[in-house]
Amino acid sequence: MTVVLDRRDVRTGQVRGRYFRENFAQGGFDLVQVLPELVTNADAAIAAAGRERGRIELGFGAPDPDFVADWRRELRRLGVRGLPAWRQEVRCTDDGIGVDAEAVDARLGALGVAPDHAGQRGLFGRGLRDVWLAQGGGRIAGVRGDRAVESWFFPATGDDPYAYAHVRDEPQTAGHRAALGVEISGTRVTVPLPDVRPPAPGRLRTLVAQLVQLRPLLEDPARELWLELPGQPLGLVTYPAPEPDPERPVLADEEVDLGDGVRARITVRRAVQPIPLTPLRATRRGGLVVRSGRSAHEVTLVGSEGLPGARHLYGEVWCEAIEERQRAALDQPRPQLVVRADRTGLNEHHPLVRCLYAAIDRVVKPIVAAEERRAGAHLLKPGRAVRARDEVGLRQLNDALRNAFDAPGSAGFGRGEQPADRAPLAKGTQGEGEGEGDGAGEVDGSAAQRSPAIEAPIRFKQSLVRMHPGEQRSASVLFEPTRIPPGTPVEVSADSGLNFKLSAVEVPEPNARGWSRLTGTLRVRATADPGARLTVLAEAAGHTAELEVMIVRHRAAGWVREIARKNEDSVTEAHFDPEAGVVTVFEGRPEFRALERAARSAGFRRNRAREYLPFRMLEVEAAANAVYAWAAERMVERRDAGTRPTDPAEYARVVRFEAQALRHRVHEKLMRAFLEPEVFEGGVRLEEAAAIAAQGSLLDD
């Protein structure tokens, strides 16, 4: 039957303002997001004016009391609930092309307006409206040509997302230009800060000077950014760039191929002094700034974040395809953005970003290793007894990770019987008629029956595997025959670099355990890049299953292959490299040094200090915690991909909880594997040190 749609039968949906107000009120914008939008819009306005030089003034402080009174009175008269309080505001003034009423209507009168010219980041486009919607209002004033305008932006009374009005539209005079501080044309954008107390003046100046997204403007000699703080005069803001090492200023400068005709240039420089490490990536001075066009998106070192060998590194990554792909995505019906919607960095799930991160990692990792060798951070070799216990402990740790990554073993795929009348016992405990647990990899059938992953009608037997370039292995897909009947066609798709071929194209009859099973051959191409994370999708009857494959180097075996020890002090106690399978413990930290001195005092030789029980326990704890943290991030990424919290603080709490839950399940067995049996059999005794004669008091008899 042919379907013919009549244009008169097509209905359009209505936009409800409540959705926009709730959406932006829930998300909110902080200064790290507000300031780049204001300043980059001003920079685009100056570029549109065609002037060689431009001046931008950024000011913080209390609003004009007369304006606040007018704002409240007029919005009350219009029946609009304005901001409950407008105590602080941020103002951004530029001497660019300026605005008049017509320009305000064109740029702010509709949602989703793109910049006028390619290469502009803003120019009163999406970003400014986003900020105003999040903050609950705002205003813009400007002069352009022979007209001067002042417009207010505020919530709408009905179902419209917002409203704005020209409170002043008149011929411009010298007074208008003097009020803005411009000679020919210019604009002033004001954003209220109703719930944000600006930081202290010193921290605020540091924030503006080090914001990653403002670096292109701060480094441009044709732009001047002035900052006005309460009670302080205007001051010129400059970026405190690291001082280059005179002996080795540039460590790498190469162009890399990201595939699909995309290229990027990676430049790694070395500073003469270590760059202070800060967890706030928006203001970090060290690391590589990812740039495209006039925009700076983020600063990153990918897998080398926080390592001692990266303390001196900084530089740039130029990839013009980021801006091109971003603009092309905005015109697609289902856009996949390269830059995050809140503009706080790159979208790590985009294929281009994954390839870019892999390329950065390949360039940076050898440099970091060379820096550590140059600094004398050599690997420490443990004794034979410690190496033997490491092998036992790593086997137990890898078994725990396999269970955590939804690979519970053959018993985990049992269909289960009738519901149990009591809760299942934890592994390693005993109950009536039950013996002790016989190792990792087995889970109770009732627990498996309740697992959301196992209840899925289609799934891979393993959901996260490690493979080398050129490696081939088998992989099985399981089907629930009551929901996906035998004979249902199965379709498979794989990322570039993987090849997966099933033994049949239809769901087979169920086996003795009640599952239908198809076995396939999974092969990684020899050209696959180590560190890449590729996926295979299997689909049947509208249901899908995903297999994630992590490409590792040829020397890596197992999730955690080795515990490496370095005599290097570091902010982080340990670092896990999932590509190589090596967890590095930095034993140059003060707590390790103190326990090493204690071991020497107890009679241990230097090369056997790691056999000293307190030292060994601290070493195992540091290595295990690094692996737990990494595993928790992967579990949250895969299992909670659809419900993962977007708030950074909530996401951090979820990851920490998963790490603690994983530690609770496996840490007791892990410690038994890494430590000697005598530790758990009461074979450790504390000997009191010989009493030292204390000096008597003069008040004693």
Side-chain angles (χ1 to χ4, degrees):
M1 177 179 178
T2 303
V3 177
V4 179
L5 291 178
D6 191 341
R7 186 180 299 274
R8 293 172 296 180
D9 295 334
V10 178
R11 302 179 181 180
T12 57
Q14 294 182 353
V15 178
R16 295 192 174 273
R18 180 175 61 85
Y19 165 77
F20 284 90
R21 289 191 289 269
E22 289 182 355
N23 181 45
F24 286 97
Q26 297 280 345
F29 272 57
D30 53 24
L31 286 177
V32 175
Q33 296 168 279
V34 171
L35 297 182
E37 297 297 348
L38 296 180
V39 177
T40 53
N41 272 328
D43 178 54
I46 296 172
R51 300 195 178 103
E52 295 183 359
R53 304 185 61 84
R55 176 187 176 98
I56 301 173
E57 295 183 5
L58 197 63
F60 290 83
D64 183 6
D66 296 336
F67 159 74
V68 174
D70 293 341
W71 170 274
R72 292 177 178 174
R73 183 187 66 253
E74 294 303 316
L75 264 60
R76 190 183 306 113
R77 188 175 60 82
L78 294 174
V80 176
R81 289 192 59 186
L83 289 175
W86 190 320
R87 299 188 181 91
Q88 296 288 328
E89 65 181 15
V90 54
R91 301 173 295 272
C92 185
T93 308
D94 65 79
D95 57 356
I97 193 173
V99 293
D100 52 18
E102 183 180 354
V104 172
D105 292 336
R107 302 303 307 166
L108 301 179
L111 288 170
V113 179
D116 291 333
H117 307 285
Q120 292 182 353
R121 188 178 186 277
L123 194 54
F124 318 122
R126 292 181 182 87
L128 182 56
R129 280 189 301 272
D130 291 353
V131 170
W132 278 344
L133 281 168
Q135 303 302 86
R139 59 173 175 161
I140 180 173
V143 292
R144 182 175 185 176
D146 59 350
R147 305 294 297 179
V149 67
E150 179 180 351
S151 303
W152 292 0
F153 185 102
F154 47 85
T157 56
D159 284 339
D160 294 321
Y162 63 90
Y164 70 98
H166 304 307
V167 299
R168 183 178 294 109
D169 182 12
E170 55 195 18
Q172 71 146 308
T173 63
H176 293 112
R177 296 192 299 272
L180 292 179
V182 298
E183 296 181 359
I184 303 175
S185 60
T187 308
R188 174 173 294 163
V189 179
T190 304
V191 176
L193 304 176
D195 300 324
V196 178
R197 172 177 291 182
R203 296 187 61 184
L204 191 55
R205 183 176 294 276
T206 301
L207 173 66
V208 176
Q210 295 183 190
L211 266 177
V212 173
Q213 294 171 318
L214 302 187
R215 302 260 178 101
L217 183 142
L218 294 174
E219 296 172 354
D220 188 353
R223 296 289 187 271
E224 293 182 355
L225 178 60
W226 294 79
L227 180 62
E228 181 183 10
L229 300 175
Q232 299 185 11
L234 277 173
L236 183 64
V237 179
T238 57
Y239 171 60
E243 181 183 355
D245 188 342
E247 299 180 358
R248 299 183 302 149
V250 179
L251 302 180
D253 187 10
E254 57 184 272
E255 190 171 338
V256 296
D257 185 7
L258 305 182
D260 197 20
V262 177
R263 304 189 68 82
R265 189 171 194 86
I266 302 175
T267 304
V268 183
R269 309 178 190 275
R270 189 180 192 277
V272 65
Q273 297 293 334
I275 304 173
L277 181 64
T278 172
L280 185 61
R281 297 178 64 179
T283 58
R284 186 184 302 174
R285 296 169 59 218
L288 306 182
V289 181
V290 182
R291 303 177 61 169
S292 64
R294 186 69 172 173
S295 303
H297 304 290
E298 68 176 17
V299 59
T300 183
L301 282 171
V302 193
S304 301
E305 300 281 357
L307 294 183
R311 293 176 180 174
H312 293 261
L313 302 185
Y314 71 103
E316 305 85 26
V317 177
W318 289 90
C319 182
E320 300 299 335
I322 293 178
E323 182 175 347
E324 298 170 1
R325 297 288 177 89
Q326 180 78 359
R327 295 186 181 278
L330 295 177
D331 297 328
Q332 300 298 321
R334 185 180 178 273
Q336 187 178 11
L337 300 180
V338 186
V339 183
R340 295 176 188 169
D342 59 359
R343 302 170 182 82
T344 56
L346 299 179
N347 176 17
E348 64 273 13
H349 303 292
H350 195 280
L352 174 60
V353 178
R354 291 183 179 181
C355 295
L356 181 63
Y357 282 167
I360 295 174
D361 216 24
R362 288 195 299 269
V363 174
V364 170
K365 273 193 173 181
I367 296 176
V368 172
E371 285 289 301
E372 292 184 353
R373 289 194 300 268
R374 186 172 181 270
H378 58 275
L379 291 174
L380 303 173
K381 295 183 178 180
R384 186 178 303 173
V386 173
R387 290 200 301 270
R389 296 305 303 181
D390 279 354
E391 293 180 1
V392 178
L394 290 177
R395 284 197 297 268
Q396 181 65 44
L397 182 58
N398 285 317
D399 287 341
L401 291 178
R402 291 189 187 96
N403 289 335
F405 293 143
D406 299 333
S410 59
F413 298 95
R415 296 184 54 77
E417 303 300 336
Q418 297 297 324
D421 56 357
R422 57 188 174 87
L425 292 176
K427 204 63 179 173
T429 61
Q430 293 183 351
E432 289 187 25
E434 296 186 14
E436 192 174 18
D438 57 354
E442 303 288 333
V443 299
D444 185 87
S446 59
Q449 189 73 6
R450 291 190 302 271
S451 171
I454 298 177
E455 286 180 354
I458 175 176
R459 61 160 296 177
F460 282 90
K461 189 175 181 181
Q462 286 184 305
S463 60
L464 184 61
V465 297
R466 296 162 57 91
M467 297 183 65
H468 308 97
E471 182 182 356
Q472 179 174 307
R473 60 170 293 174
S474 61
S476 299
V477 188
L478 303 181
F479 306 88
E480 169 60 61
T482 59
R483 301 168 66 181
I484 304 179
T488 303
V490 182
E491 296 183 0
V492 175
S493 61
D495 287 343
S496 177
L498 289 180
N499 186 17
F500 184 60
K501 184 177 181 181
L502 289 173
S503 57
V505 296
E506 295 181 350
V507 177
E509 295 294 330
N511 55 23
R513 293 184 178 273
W515 286 83
S516 299
R517 175 173 175 173
L518 275 180
T519 302
T521 301
L522 178 64
R523 184 173 64 87
V524 180
R525 299 183 186 275
T527 56
D529 294 326
R533 303 176 71 90
L534 308 178
T535 58
V536 177
L537 290 178
E539 182 179 358
H543 302 282
T544 59
E546 181 180 9
L547 172 64
E548 186 173 3
V549 181
M550 183 172 185
I551 311 303
V552 298
R553 297 187 185 278
H554 283 281
R555 66 172 184 273
W559 289 108
V560 187
R561 180 180 64 90
E562 177 188 356
I563 296 180
R565 296 133 173 114
K566 282 189 176 181
N567 65 333
E568 176 78 9
D569 191 8
S570 174
V571 177
T572 56
E573 60 183 7
H575 172 75
F576 178 53
D577 183 1
E579 178 188 336
V582 177
V583 53
T584 303
V585 182
F586 299 103
E587 298 186 357
R589 289 167 57 95
E591 63 268 29
F592 284 98
R593 296 294 190 191
L595 289 178
E596 184 179 5
R597 291 191 295 268
R600 298 293 301 277
S601 300
F604 287 83
R605 297 193 301 271
R606 181 180 295 274
N607 59 347
R608 295 189 59 190
R610 278 143 204 87
E611 300 177 18
Y612 183 54
L613 181 59
F615 192 102
R616 175 64 171 170
M617 293 183 67
L618 180 61
E619 186 179 70
V620 173
E621 288 283 342
N625 287 336
V627 178
Y628 292 155
W630 169 82
E633 292 178 357
R634 303 289 82 76
M635 292 164 64
V636 172
E637 285 180 1
R638 296 185 299 106
R639 189 192 61 198
D640 300 332
T643 59
R644 187 174 63 180
T646 56
D647 178 61
E650 181 65 21
Y651 176 75
R653 284 193 292 268
V654 171
V655 171
R656 182 180 180 276
F657 176 82
E658 288 294 342
Q660 293 296 314
L662 178 61
R663 179 186 175 93
H664 179 265
R665 293 196 301 269
V666 306
H667 199 62
E668 186 263 343
K669 290 183 180 179
L670 195 66
M671 296 299 287
R672 287 181 179 272
F674 271 107
L675 303 180
E676 298 294 336
E678 293 82 1
V679 175
F680 299 92
E681 297 173 358
V684 178
R685 296 288 187 270
L686 178 63
E687 296 182 359
E688 295 186 3
I692 301 176
Q695 180 179 357
S697 173
L698 297 177
L699 301 178
D700 294 339
D701 294 336

